[in-house]
Amino acid sequence: KGRTPRRPPPKKPYSNQKDPVGVYCRVRPLGVEDEECCIEVISSTTIQLHAPEGFKTNRNGEYKETLYSFKKVFGVSISQMELFEHVAKPLVDDLIHGKNGLLFTYGVTGSGKTFTMTGSPGQGGLLPRSLDMIFNSIGPYQAKRYVFKADDKNGMEVQSEVDALLERQRRENNLSVPKSSSSSRQKLDPEIADMIKPEEGCKTDGVDEDSSYSIFVSYIEIYNNYIYDLLEETQEDAIKPKPPQSKILREDQNHNMYVAGCMEVEVKSAEEAFQVFWRGQKKRKVANTRLNRESSRSHSVLIIKLAQAPLDADGDNILQDKNQVTVSQLCLVDLAGSERTGRTGAEGTRIREAGNINQSLLNLRTCIEILRENQMCGTNRMVPYRDSKVTHVFKNYFDGEGKVRMVVCVNPKADDYEETLLVMRFAEMTQEVEVARPVDRPICGFTPGRRHRNQAFKEELTRKLEERGGPIDRDVPSVISHLVHSLPPLPSSELIDAHDDITLPRLIEALQNRHRIRQMMIDEYNKAATVMKSMLQELDSNLISKDNFIHEQNGKLVEKDKIIQNNKAEIERLEKRTKMQEHKIDILQKTTKIYEGDKRSLQQELETREQRLQRELSDKRRMEQRMHGAVTDTQLKWEKECDRRVNAMQLEMQNKLWVKDEKLKQLKAIVTESKTPGRPDPPPRQTQPKRPSREERLPAKRSASPSPVPTVTPVRPLHRRSRSAGGEKWVDHKPSSSMDLGTVLQPVIPNSIQVSAPSEKALSKCDRYVLTHQEVASDGEIQTKLIKGEVIKTRGGGQAVQFTDIETLKQELTTVPSRKRKSSEGTPANGDRTDGAWTDVETRCSVAVEMRAGSNMGPGYEHHGITK
């Protein structure tokens, strides 16, 4: 199945100019004088919000004061007339000139929105003043009732005066209530009587006199997100009342939203229009809450639709062309106030109403925020108009053309501070939304001033008819009396005597005279009628010739208009093409400049990189030379180091072999002595084995076990465990290279952890540390040193050892004759021992090594000999 193609959108006049939404602020006076005020009017465009006492302060502990700017701020002393002059009057001017407008009030409950829109007796609001201004401006130019007829698709049709007359008669016959007379002002409801003072009336300048106007009014409410027609006539049934039927929104051929099936009432005066409004206002949903005695529970929308069409070329009748009808509308909206159920004390149905009101206002804020984001950031997010009926009705004005005005009503009392703060933020955001500026409607091709010339022609025709044929506007009795007075008077007709022959002949003569005069007057009237007919025929022929000439001129004008329209279209096309070419040229110029800048920057970067490459090459050559020299030096250094290490290892192995040989010889001598029978002979003198010379050994023998590394004195902890509280725990460090000498005295350390290499885990569990260190003494024997220290915690959370003292265990053989060697060289006379004196055994035995507790000295350090 083929799908029906979508109707293309209408071609609207191109308008790229936009105006921001006009946001005004009105401050309501305080109800009680001693209440705390949280709003201060700074200037005519700025207000300041003060946080009330006890409210949450900012981080600095000071009250936060916020400034908000509007197009204009109206204080508590402003009058309704001044408010109308600034806010609604420009919208009424645009309505009469064929442009759309939207005006809505916004604020929390009890802030004065309904008073601002409707007003009270003697203080009419924006709505009655707008109606009064409209009818003051178009009053003399209104069309007869039912000449304009609204269709069911948000459009207007034009009927002839005959069809309009038949329509009036048909509707008057169908109406059960008689039509209100001109005394409708006296029958107004006392609550709405004298809304506007006569001296406060105003009108619009520049009204098109060559057009006819007609006003249509419709009034709806949005209650719980349903649309109801407040002007719909329903049959009241006391037994079983019928609930009102909700309406739906539709889209017309121009993509404008309208309420389908909504009743549009044609009104001919401001009093009649306001009477219709008040009839619907009584049906609006209101309720009594804790904050407002008459709180609006729905959003009300009054739509004022103005239909206008030009007069024909004669300036007498409306042009019967539907395409020439211009329809503009002004939408006046009284939004229900946002409220918190905790403050209003709402229950049951009121809670549901408040939830729907707050949700619709939240949807309005969301739409405004997305519109602002699309316009400022260039995004194309979809605006969720369909989420609420209020925003769906507003779609025509925010997406179409027209002015949008918002009046923010605020209550300065401190209890409404939080809600007022949210309202101010929404108003600040709304001011940044822009709406397309409406364009002027095209001017009809007829000659202006047609109505005035037609009236002048009728007045001149009436005057000429009066000159030639008498007054034509007089009624029949006046014409008869004029004719009677123009005839000669009748003589006295009283008969006194029956034989009177004078009175009757005289009366007969007078009647004959009157008959002759009457016949002469009839002849004159016939002549005048003949002349009038000839004049009328002549006028008809002139009118026909003029009509033909006007039709010819109109045809020529139409052709000229077509040529002008074609020329305009061609000019617009050429202008668009020129702008497009200029835009392309600008883009190309900018692109050329960008490319030139990129070229210069790339050339500079290339030159910089070439210079850097040259520097890097020179640095590389210098580095290669330097590294070559460093490699050569390092190679020589390591060769020397390797030779030194090889020599040291050889010397160490020779010392170990010498020690083993010495022990074996001593063991052999002991075994030999134990096997000799009888009294033992003194042991033979053993020859001392040959030891490596001092030139073959290294100057200092390094320990087989790792030497303790001197450490910086760590930080002592704040508390140390007492030694008498259960004993100390030791870390017994015995390197794997240590030898078992089999001596009787062996170091036995209770409560210790034996390790071959110290670790942080073992040190963290103990208080003391001991290192078993073995080395070859100067006499060739192996001596064992126990190097003791304390384990202390460092600042970084680790462990450190501070060495305190050293115990030395040394083994000597008494059976072996002492190997005394005295230096053949003499000692100095002053008693000072030189380094050669240390080779004498006696000298070595008379020298001790002294170390103090807490000394940094240990194995591997140079010791100083002190004589005993």
Side-chain angles (χ1 to χ4, degrees):
K1 264 186 165 183
R3 178 179 290 182
T4 303
R6 182 179 176 87
R7 181 171 56 249
K11 295 182 179 179
K12 293 185 178 181
Y14 179 77
S15 174
N16 56 357
Q17 296 180 343
K18 292 186 176 182
D19 295 323
V21 176
V23 181
Y24 301 84
C25 180
R26 187 179 193 184
V27 182
R28 173 181 176 171
L30 283 173
V32 183
E33 295 297 333
D34 57 353
E35 284 188 2
E36 183 182 359
C37 181
C38 66
I39 294 178
E40 180 183 357
V41 179
I42 302 298
S43 64
S44 61
T45 58
T46 308
I47 66 172
Q48 185 177 24
L49 258 68
H50 304 277
E53 295 185 4
F55 192 73
K56 184 178 179 181
T57 57
N58 60 0
R59 294 181 180 179
N60 297 329
E62 300 175 355
Y63 287 108
K64 187 176 181 180
E65 298 178 352
T66 313
L67 294 176
Y68 294 95
S69 298
F70 298 89
K71 192 169 184 179
K72 191 170 183 59
V73 175
F74 302 98
V76 296
S77 61
I78 203 72
S79 65
Q80 297 277 58
M81 185 64 190
E82 294 179 33
L83 180 68
F84 171 77
E85 288 283 342
H86 289 89
V87 178
K89 187 176 180 181
L91 296 179
V92 177
D93 289 336
D94 289 345
L95 175 71
I96 295 175
H97 290 90
K99 301 173 185 178
N100 298 332
L102 169 65
L103 173 62
F104 63 97
T105 56
Y106 185 87
V108 300
T109 181
S111 58
K113 300 182 296 300
T114 303
F115 176 77
T116 299
M117 184 61 69
T118 306
S120 60
Q123 295 181 352
L126 300 177
L127 191 148
R129 293 181 185 274
S130 299
L131 293 173
D132 183 70
M133 180 177 175
I134 291 172
F135 286 102
N136 288 341
S137 304
I138 66 170
Y141 315 117
Q142 290 191 75
K144 295 181 179 180
R145 198 180 294 267
Y146 304 121
V147 170
F148 289 97
K149 182 181 179 181
D151 57 11
D152 296 334
K153 298 179 181 179
N154 201 31
M156 284 290 172
E157 297 177 350
V158 183
Q159 298 186 126
S160 63
E161 292 190 1
V162 177
D163 294 336
L165 179 61
L166 295 176
E167 181 78 13
R168 285 198 300 272
Q169 292 177 355
R170 181 177 63 81
R171 295 203 179 192
E172 287 175 1
N173 293 332
N174 292 335
L175 288 176
S176 59
V177 180
K179 183 181 176 182
S180 60
S181 61
S182 60
S183 62
S184 61
R185 187 177 182 86
Q186 300 176 359
K187 297 181 181 180
L188 285 177
D189 196 313
E191 296 182 12
I192 61 173
D194 298 327
M195 275 282 190
I196 304 173
K197 300 178 181 178
E199 61 271 12
E200 292 180 352
C202 56
K203 59 186 300 185
T204 303
D205 298 330
V207 180
D208 187 8
E209 299 179 357
D210 296 325
S211 297
S212 290
Y213 303 88
S214 187
I215 298 294
F216 294 83
V217 175
S218 59
Y219 194 27
I220 63 173
E221 73 168 351
I222 302 173
Y223 176 70
N224 288 336
N225 208 26
Y226 289 98
I227 299 177
Y228 298 100
D229 187 4
L230 296 177
L231 302 181
E232 187 176 15
E233 298 291 342
T234 58
Q235 295 181 358
E236 298 182 357
D237 190 353
I239 300 175
K240 188 177 180 181
K242 185 179 180 181
Q245 188 70 25
S246 63
K247 305 296 181 180
I248 60 174
L249 285 172
R250 294 189 184 275
E251 189 177 19
D252 63 4
Q253 61 180 358
N254 295 325
H255 301 286
N256 294 324
M257 305 307 301
Y258 70 97
V259 181
C262 180
M263 184 174 182
E264 294 181 350
V265 181
E266 185 177 6
V267 291
K268 292 300 178 183
S269 65
E271 293 80 7
E272 182 184 358
F274 200 69
Q275 185 75 24
V276 171
F277 161 76
W278 195 251
R279 187 174 73 241
Q281 183 74 2
K282 291 181 179 179
K283 299 180 182 180
R284 188 182 176 188
K285 306 292 188 304
V286 294
N288 184 12
T289 64
R290 190 184 300 172
L291 299 180
N292 193 356
R293 186 171 58 86
E294 294 182 358
S295 176
S296 301
R297 314 310 294 170
S298 63
H299 310 294
S300 66
V301 182
L302 178 71
I303 302 174
I304 305 173
K305 190 176 291 186
L306 174 65
Q308 52 181 314
L311 299 175
D312 56 7
D314 296 334
D316 193 12
N317 298 317
I318 298 175
L319 192 64
Q320 301 293 315
D321 187 359
K322 185 177 180 179
N323 296 326
Q324 294 294 332
V325 179
T326 302
V327 180
S328 56
Q329 62 183 18
L330 174 62
C331 192
L332 303 177
V333 183
D334 181 14
L335 294 177
S338 59
E339 61 183 41
R340 294 186 177 181
T341 56
R343 295 185 57 211
T344 57
E347 295 178 356
T349 307
R350 300 293 169 259
I351 293 180
R352 179 167 175 252
E353 293 171 352
N356 287 318
I357 290 171
N358 294 335
Q359 183 62 37
S360 62
L361 296 179
L362 178 61
N363 291 333
L364 177 60
R365 286 194 292 268
T366 303
C367 294
I368 293 294
E369 185 176 358
I370 295 177
L371 272 174
R372 170 179 169 270
E373 180 181 349
N374 290 342
Q375 293 177 2
M376 298 185 67
C377 303
T379 58
N380 194 18
R381 292 180 57 191
M382 186 185 71
V383 183
Y385 290 115
R386 294 179 178 269
D387 290 351
S388 173
K389 293 294 191 298
V390 175
T391 54
H392 210 175
V393 171
F394 286 2
K395 179 179 181 294
N396 300 343
Y397 304 95
F398 284 105
D399 282 354
E401 294 178 349
K403 287 184 180 179
V404 179
R405 299 283 176 91
M406 179 175 74
V407 180
V408 177
C409 300
V410 294
N411 196 338
K413 65 179 181 179
D415 295 338
D416 290 346
Y417 174 75
E418 293 185 66
E419 291 89 341
T420 304
L421 195 63
L422 296 176
V423 170
M424 291 300 171
R425 291 174 182 171
F426 171 69
E428 192 174 29
M429 179 178 60
T430 307
Q431 293 183 91
E432 299 177 357
V433 176
E434 294 182 344
V435 181
R437 182 180 300 177
V439 297
D440 296 330
R441 61 187 179 92
I443 300 175
C444 182
F446 296 112
T447 306
R450 301 184 297 279
R451 183 190 294 269
H452 180 69
R453 286 197 301 272
N454 185 33
Q455 291 178 355
F457 173 73
K458 289 181 178 180
E459 291 176 358
E460 182 67 20
L461 181 61
T462 302
R463 187 182 61 80
K464 288 185 177 180
L465 290 176
E466 287 179 354
E467 291 177 354
R468 296 189 181 186
I472 63 173
D473 292 337
R474 295 182 183 178
D475 51 2
V476 176
S478 62
V479 173
I480 294 174
S481 62
H482 176 72
L483 291 175
V484 170
H485 287 294
S486 63
L487 294 174
L490 293 174
S492 176
S493 302
E494 183 179 1
L495 293 176
I496 301 173
D497 189 4
H499 301 282
D500 189 359
D501 296 333
I502 298 173
T503 303
L504 289 176
R506 190 169 52 191
L507 180 59
I508 292 171
E509 184 180 1
L511 290 174
Q512 290 177 351
N513 189 19
R514 289 172 68 93
H515 177 71
R516 187 178 65 255
I517 294 172
R518 177 176 175 272
Q519 192 65 34
M520 291 174 59
M521 292 177 64
I522 289 173
D523 294 339
E524 290 180 358
Y525 273 110
N526 289 332
K527 291 180 181 178
T530 304
V531 173
M532 178 62 68
K533 286 181 180 179
S534 61
M535 290 176 61
L536 289 176
Q537 291 176 356
E538 185 179 358
L539 289 174
D540 287 338
S541 61
N542 291 334
L543 285 175
I544 292 172
S545 61
K546 287 182 179 180
D547 287 337
N548 294 331
F549 178 75
I550 288 172
H551 285 305
E552 292 177 0
Q553 296 299 324
N554 286 335
K556 293 180 180 179
L557 285 175
V558 170
E559 293 177 359
K560 296 292 184 182
D561 288 338
K562 290 181 180 179
I563 296 173
I564 290 172
Q565 293 296 330
N566 294 332
N567 291 335
K568 285 182 178 180
E570 183 68 18
I571 290 171
E572 290 180 358
R573 187 182 64 82
L574 293 176
E575 287 179 352
K576 289 181 180 178
R577 188 173 178 182
T578 304
K579 290 180 180 179
M580 189 179 299
Q581 296 297 331
E582 290 177 352
H583 182 62
K584 289 182 179 179
I585 291 171
D586 293 339
I587 293 175
L588 291 175
Q589 289 178 352
K590 292 179 181 178
T591 308
T592 306
K593 290 180 181 179
I594 292 171
Y595 286 160
E596 290 177 353
D598 293 342
K599 181 180 177 182
R600 287 194 296 268
S601 62
L602 289 174
Q603 288 179 351
Q604 293 177 359
E605 185 177 358
L606 182 62
E607 294 175 357
T608 304
R609 291 192 176 184
E610 288 179 354
Q611 295 175 1
R612 189 185 303 167
L613 183 60
Q614 294 296 332
R615 287 197 300 269
E616 289 178 354
L617 290 175
S618 61
D619 293 341
K620 183 178 179 182
R621 288 193 293 269
R622 286 197 299 271
M623 185 62 69
E624 287 178 353
Q625 295 174 1
R626 190 181 306 160
M627 292 302 295
H628 183 68
V631 168
T632 304
D633 295 342
T634 306
Q635 186 177 1
L636 294 175
K637 181 178 178 182
W638 279 106
E639 287 178 357
K640 292 179 181 180
E641 182 68 21
C642 290
D643 293 341
R644 186 185 64 79
R645 291 184 181 182
V646 169
N647 293 332
M649 291 296 291
Q650 289 177 356
L651 183 58
E652 184 178 358
M653 295 303 293
Q654 288 175 4
N655 288 336
K656 289 182 179 180
L657 290 175
W658 180 83
V659 171
K660 289 182 180 180
D661 292 341
E662 186 69 21
K663 289 183 178 181
L664 287 174
K665 288 177 182 179
Q666 292 175 3
L667 183 61
K668 184 178 180 182
I670 293 169
V671 171
T672 303
E673 288 178 358
S674 64
K675 289 181 181 182
T676 304
R679 185 174 59 86
D681 296 332
R685 183 180 183 88
Q686 296 178 356
T687 59
Q688 187 174 355
K690 186 178 179 182
R691 295 174 63 185
S693 63
R694 297 179 65 88
E695 290 79 5
E696 295 176 356
R697 293 184 295 166
L698 290 174
K701 175 63 180 157
R702 302 299 293 176
S703 171
S705 62
S707 304
V709 181
T711 58
V712 182
T713 304
V715 179
R716 291 184 178 273
L718 297 178
H719 173 71
R720 183 170 181 83
R721 188 179 181 186
S722 174
R723 295 186 179 181
S724 62
E728 298 176 340
K729 202 166 186 179
W730 292 75
V731 175
D732 188 3
H733 179 195
K734 290 183 179 181
S736 58
S737 59
S738 300
M739 298 174 60
D740 187 9
L741 301 179
T743 57
V744 176
L745 298 177
Q746 291 287 340
V748 178
I749 304 173
N751 197 15
S752 64
I753 300 175
Q754 293 185 0
V755 295
S756 61
S759 63
E760 184 179 355
K761 181 178 180 181
L763 291 173
S764 64
K765 297 179 180 179
C766 301
D767 301 325
R768 302 296 298 275
Y769 171 83
V770 60
L771 170 64
T772 304
H773 174 66
Q774 292 179 347
E775 66 179 3
V776 180
S778 59
D779 56 355
E781 298 298 336
I782 297 177
Q783 64 180 6
T784 302
K785 291 185 179 181
L786 300 180
I787 305 170
K788 296 182 290 182
E790 295 180 357
V791 180
I792 301 174
K793 293 183 180 180
T794 60
R795 291 182 185 273
Q799 309 293 331
V801 178
Q802 182 176 4
F803 296 102
T804 56
D805 56 353
I806 300 174
E807 293 181 7
T808 304
L809 303 177
K810 188 174 182 181
Q811 183 181 6
E812 295 182 357
L813 296 177
T814 58
T815 59
V816 181
S818 61
R819 299 181 296 274
K820 293 185 179 180
R821 291 189 304 169
K822 291 187 179 180
S823 176
S824 60
E825 301 173 359
T827 58
N830 55 6
D832 295 337
R833 291 181 175 87
T834 61
D835 191 22
W838 288 86
T839 60
D840 192 357
V841 177
E842 294 179 354
T843 306
R844 289 200 302 272
C845 292
S846 62
V847 176
V849 177
E850 179 184 4
M851 298 184 69
R852 294 180 177 86
S855 174
N856 289 329
M857 298 180 63
Y861 285 87
E862 181 180 0
H863 304 303
H864 300 280
I866 302 174
T867 305
K868 291 183 181 179

